[in-house]
Amino acid sequence: MELSEYFEQFERRRNVEVGTGFPANIAAEIAAAHSIGLSLEKLQQFLARRTEITSVAVALKGHTLSVEKIERILSTRRKGLIYPKDILGAGFSKDEILENFHADL
């Protein structure tokens, strides 16, 4: 399957208008998934899991994300929490969270 077909099928799977494109980081991940032969189902699973992590990580202080912090995010999710604000509140101290996210806690 050509890259353009892969993009088109993924757009249809996501119910977005075909040809509108994706944000640059997502488009790069889609292209990388295509290049290594990842199925559209696996790509969708990958992107969902990535979003679960990054939706919390963006509120944490620092420019890097340690394995320990990722494990805390995933552990808190396994306990049934879904929303980033709940995960932040249960899994991280206020000292670890950017101040502009404190009001959401």
Side-chain angles (χ1 to χ4, degrees), residues 2-85:
E2 296 293 322
L3 179 59
S4 60
E5 294 170 303
Y6 191 77
F7 262 82
E8 184 178 308
Q9 286 187 21
F10 191 67
E11 287 172 318
R12 286 196 174 129
R13 180 179 275 261
R14 300 295 307 139
N15 292 321
V16 298
E17 186 177 333
V18 173
T20 57
F22 293 95
N25 61 324
I26 301 298
E29 291 168 349
I30 295 169
H34 173 265
S35 73
I36 62 170
L38 206 61
S39 71
L40 291 169
E41 181 178 308
K42 289 291 183 187
L43 169 61
Q44 193 165 346
Q45 290 173 353
F46 166 79
L47 290 173
R49 192 62 153 174
R50 177 192 169 279
T51 300
E52 288 176 353
I53 296 166
T54 58
S55 66
V56 175
V58 297
L60 298 175
K61 291 181 180 177
H63 296 288
T64 61
L65 187 62
S66 68
V67 170
E68 183 268 333
K69 286 182 180 176
I70 293 170
E71 287 173 341
R72 285 165 52 198
I73 293 168
L74 298 176
S75 173
T76 307
R77 281 197 177 278
R78 282 191 294 272
K79 292 176 184 171
L81 297 176
I82 298 170
Y83 298 106
K85 69 177 185 170

